Amino acid sequence: MSMPKVSLDGTSGFEIPRHVAIIMDGNGRWAAARSLPRAEGHRRGVEALRRTVRIAGELGIGILTIFAFSSENWSRPQSEIRDLLGLLRLFIRHDLADLHRNNVKVRIIGDRNGLEGDVSSLLNEAEEKTRDNDGLTLVVAFNYGARQEIARAARRLADEVVAGRLAATDITAERLSNFMDAPDLPDPDLIIRTSGEQRLSNFLLWQSAYSELVFVPTFWPDFDRAAFEQAISEYSRRERRFGGLAAAGS
């Protein structure tokens, strides 16, 4: 698929990835560096999310996936969990109309079992209200863990085998992919992690097999257009081989 070319940092011809995924990291450290409560860091992180969604649309990115809440985040202090869920509620209630008006389609991945009723309802509402939009697709990974997603897909495949609809010898990587949370979406071309940490932290492990990884030192609340464009510029300079050889045979 041909990707759009745009001008970044004064240089024309950079290739825009079709699907960008972001691990939004560093809210707490941003707040600590300023002697502010962690809740303020999370609040500023929501502002950065709004900014990033807008920029992604302006750059012509087709899909933006964000790691909003990890399945491991439930181990955090209850007060912080309440703050995070409260911000999610505010984001959907206050921003959903704007997202819909701007033709953004919202998709949710992750385990919805056991979520608080109003949280589950809000996630469903966001998907349903924007279902027919055909602009930027915003994928929200909520209560998400990649290993858990793979395990869910394996259980679904096992159910097919037990029901006699599939033979064990028919199980392939492609079939497993079809049982992931969003099998219709292409794998991310670029995964960005903010705050300087250099690991995926149980995020899109299956889908990231051939993704380009860019780690930026910026804490998430400070992630802006310049940082976003710099990450895309880094992506654009790389040669993606998908296990093959470079054009020159290297």
Side-chain angles (χ1 to χ4, degrees):
M1 180 176 179
S2 178
M3 302 298 180
K5 302 281 187 175
V6 300
S7 175
L8 300 179
D9 300 327
T11 304
S12 62
F14 278 101
E15 185 175 278
I16 295 296
R18 176 172 50 167
H19 183 178
V20 175
I22 303 181
I23 301 172
M24 306 178 296
D25 192 22
N27 291 346
R29 280 169 287 164
W30 180 93
R34 292 160 176 77
S35 300
L36 296 171
R38 289 177 64 85
E40 179 63 14
H42 294 312
R43 190 185 71 80
R44 295 295 185 93
V46 171
E47 293 178 4
L49 172 57
R50 293 189 182 106
R51 184 167 62 237
T52 301
V53 171
R54 184 181 68 252
I55 295 167
E58 292 170 355
L59 291 175
I61 292 167
I63 305 165
L64 177 67
T65 297
I66 57 160
F67 203 0
F69 192 89
S70 164
S71 54
E72 285 86 15
N73 285 160
W74 298 108
S75 63
R76 294 189 178 190
Q78 284 299 310
S79 59
E80 184 168 358
I81 292 173
R82 283 194 300 271
D83 289 338
L84 289 168
L85 293 180
L87 287 170
L88 172 74
R89 292 180 174 101
L90 284 173
F91 178 76
I92 294 178
R93 287 169 179 156
H94 293 177
D95 292 64
L96 183 56
D98 283 340
L99 293 172
H100 184 45
R101 189 162 43 249
N102 288 299
N103 201 28
V104 174
K105 176 184 287 189
V106 178
R107 295 281 298 274
I108 310 296
I109 60 174
D111 187 359
R112 302 193 206 185
N113 291 326
L115 294 179
E116 295 180 19
D118 67 324
V119 172
S120 181
S121 296
L122 284 170
L123 295 176
N124 291 336
E125 178 189 353
E127 282 193 308
E128 189 59 36
K129 186 178 183 67
T130 63
R131 182 179 301 278
D132 295 327
N133 293 344
D134 58 5
L136 172 71
T137 296
L138 175 63
V139 183
V140 180
F142 184 83
N143 194 25
Y144 176 85
R147 289 179 173 178
Q148 291 85 339
E149 179 189 22
I150 294 169
R152 284 196 300 275
R155 285 195 297 271
R156 292 166 186 156
L157 268 178
D159 288 341
E160 293 293 298
V161 173
V162 170
R165 292 187 291 268
L166 186 70
T169 53
D170 292 331
I171 295 176
T172 62
E174 182 178 4
R175 286 188 186 275
L176 184 60
S177 290
N178 289 336
F179 284 87
M180 293 293 176
D181 288 355
D184 57 311
L185 297 180
D187 294 340
D189 303 292
L190 168 64
I191 296 179
I192 301 169
R193 180 169 185 153
T194 59
S195 86
E197 301 292 346
Q198 299 187 17
R199 56 182 177 273
L200 289 177
S201 295
N202 203 21
F203 182 56
L204 299 180
L205 298 180
W206 181 270
Q207 298 88 342
S208 64
Y210 292 103
S211 303
E212 296 298 325
L213 309 180
V214 173
F215 303 103
V216 300
T218 309
F219 290 140
W220 175 245
D222 289 331
F223 190 77
D224 56 12
R225 189 183 188 99
F228 203 169
E229 291 187 349
Q230 185 176 2
I232 293 174
S233 295
E234 171 63 25
Y235 161 85
S236 183
R237 288 192 291 270
R238 298 182 184 177
E239 184 175 12
R240 305 185 74 200
R241 301 190 182 98
F242 300 98
L245 296 177
S250 60

